[in-house]
Amino acid sequence: MKKKLIWALAATLVCGTLTSCSSDDEPMVNPPVEEDVALSCVKPDYLMAGDKVALISPSYFTPMENVEKTADVLRSWGLEPVVGPNVGKVVDGRYAGTVAERVSDIRWALDDPSIKAIICNRGGYGTIQLIDQLTLTEWGQHPKWLCGFSDITTLHGLLTRAGVMSIHGTMSSFLAAGGTDATSTLMRDLLMGRVPRYELPAHPQNITGRASGTLVGGNICTFAPNLGSQADATMGQDLILFIEEVEESMHNIDRQFNILRMNGVLDRCRGVVLGEFTDCGTEFTYENVEAMLRQYLTAYDIPVLCGFPGGHGDVNLPLVMGAPVTIDVRTDGATLQFDIDGEQQGVSTADITAPATPAAARLRMAGKRE
């Protein structure tokens, strides 16, 4: 307690790890860091038929047509969709409302005990504006699933720091296409307690080995700038770091990765999972982004799993952020499993094909970054 009071009085901006979802102490915007402690998160309850799922827009706006189609998909899953009060608003041409309005919808979804999960409508940009608007106590006091990717990476970081697992997975802008593709149905299954155990084919840039740790990360250009904030989930030990990106130059990905390296993030990693690098630059002569990052990762003597179909591609399989995970990378392939309760189901990523009318392709053709 004395240590916490000293940190609170100093108003430090150094991050820390919460190992429970509630505390009798006064909430601090940025609690003290303990880099020698592994992150610990609780798993929200799985969903049951009739449960309410909130649809909110923390970043860019989504056409109401997409929101309404997603609501229909949720009803077909036996769930009850509820739309955030400010969904549908447009501010400054892109944002889904003012900062205050977007925060209000998040707080509404977090505080309502009848809402059991939250699906974000889309990413884009804007969650960095929300980092200091809610305390970690607010994020963690009523554990419930939050789903999304891309700019929603920031919210995954906040929830992990608050001690709650979340789902890096698809959103309304993709679910609106029908919700019957593997990307959507695997997230549905996960929400309802069927936990995927991924089997992946060999990848030429893999580094073999086996490791366990807490899964953190997401879109690198979203979470790297959050280092030192309360959304920084790369603090603590025994990390399995997941990285994906879209429409970025190789040199900017290299820059963000070196920011992580110089801040000691890779020193705290037990393993790395590289997802999709969709429509990224080719200005260097590296074979691909994985080859560029591998040149740094070989020095750390940790397993590296490449080619996980997660991110901005047409297949975006769900990952449980903040969960204990084990990766086993071999010469003949790899596995990624979540060490949480639930009905385990094997998923061969090699057998999954892109949907007939890829939602991601439509977004790219429209010149929209998710």
Side-chain angles (χ1 to χ4, degrees):
M1 180 62 69
K2 181 178 179 182
K3 180 179 177 182
K4 289 186 177 181
L5 290 174
I6 292 172
W7 278 99
L9 290 171
T12 180
L13 294 179
V14 181
C15 301
T17 298
L18 293 183
T19 56
S20 64
C21 295
S22 63
S23 172
D24 293 329
D25 298 322
E26 288 296 315
M28 291 178 285
V29 173
N30 290 290
V33 65
E34 298 198 27
E35 293 186 24
D36 59 342
V37 176
L39 297 164
S40 178
C41 297
V42 300
K43 178 186 67 58
D45 292 336
Y46 292 123
L47 302 188
M48 300 176 64
D51 279 346
K52 289 184 179 180
V53 177
L55 297 172
I56 64 171
S57 299
S59 304
Y60 280 173
F61 81 95
T62 305
M64 284 305 299
E65 178 184 7
N66 284 354
V67 179
E68 291 162 1
K69 288 180 178 178
T70 299
D72 289 339
V73 169
L74 294 179
R75 292 187 190 99
S76 75
W77 293 353
L79 302 170
E80 181 182 344
V82 287
V83 179
N86 291 296
V87 170
K89 293 184 177 180
V90 183
V91 171
D92 296 327
R94 286 290 185 93
Y95 295 121
T98 64
V99 168
E101 288 168 338
R102 286 178 279 144
V103 169
S104 176
D105 276 9
I106 292 172
R107 186 173 277 125
W108 160 78
L110 290 175
D111 289 348
D112 186 337
S114 71
I115 292 174
K116 304 302 181 183
I118 304 166
I119 294 178
C120 299
N121 289 319
R122 72 160 295 178
Y125 177 75
T127 55
I128 197 170
Q129 303 164 341
L130 314 180
I131 289 175
D132 58 353
Q133 299 299 304
L134 292 93
T135 66
L136 294 181
T137 299
E138 290 180 275
W139 283 104
Q141 62 188 349
H142 302 301
K144 58 189 70 180
W145 293 110
L146 179 138
C147 308
F149 71 104
S150 194
D151 193 53
I152 307 306
T153 294
T154 299
L155 306 190
H156 291 308
L158 285 163
L159 280 163
T160 300
R161 287 289 308 284
V164 181
M165 297 179 198
S166 56
I167 297 176
H168 183 281
T170 194
M171 299 183 287
S172 290
S173 48
F174 290 77
L175 288 168
T180 58
D181 57 291
T183 292
S184 303
T185 57
L186 283 172
M187 189 176 81
R188 175 203 63 196
D189 291 350
L190 177 55
L191 283 168
M192 295 182 177
R194 296 190 67 196
V195 181
R197 181 182 184 275
Y198 294 117
E199 299 279 350
L200 297 101
H203 191 286
Q205 302 299 337
N206 277 353
I207 298 177
T208 60
R210 180 182 175 89
S212 297
T214 304
L215 187 64
V216 300
N219 182 261
I220 189 171
C221 288
T222 298
F223 75 80
N226 294 342
L227 294 184
S229 77
Q230 70 170 355
D232 181 7
T234 67
M235 305 306 292
Q237 293 295 323
D238 302 337
L239 306 177
I240 302 292
L241 181 66
F242 169 66
I243 298 173
E244 65 87 20
E245 194 45 80
V246 61
E247 296 178 354
E248 286 291 344
S249 64
M250 276 191 171
H251 71 261
N252 194 36
I253 295 172
D254 183 86
R255 176 187 293 116
Q256 303 304 323
F257 194 79
N258 272 289
I259 289 172
L260 301 179
R261 181 183 63 80
M262 291 184 291
N263 278 274
V265 173
L266 299 181
D267 295 319
R268 299 191 289 275
C269 288
R270 288 289 188 92
V272 172
V273 177
L274 298 181
E276 299 286 337
F277 294 93
T278 307
D279 295 340
C280 289
T282 57
E283 70 269 32
F284 299 126
T285 57
Y286 299 110
E287 181 180 352
N288 47 40
V289 174
E290 291 90 337
M292 180 179 71
L293 299 183
R294 192 182 193 276
Q295 68 176 337
Y296 299 108
L297 291 167
T298 53
Y300 289 88
D301 193 28
I302 56 176
V304 177
L305 192 164
C306 298
F308 183 85
H312 287 74
D314 295 328
V315 176
N316 179 22
L317 303 186
L319 292 166
V320 186
M321 310 309 290
V325 64
T326 297
I327 60 172
D328 184 9
V329 187
R330 309 174 305 276
T331 56
D332 63 341
T335 60
L336 187 158
Q337 70 177 41
F338 302 100
D339 302 320
I340 58 177
D341 67 345
E343 178 188 349
Q344 296 285 323
Q345 66 166 327
V347 177
S348 172
T349 64
D351 296 336
I352 296 175
T353 58
T357 308
R362 291 203 305 274
L363 283 174
R364 290 198 295 273
M365 286 188 291
K368 300 176 181 178
R369 176 187 170 120
E370 184 56 37

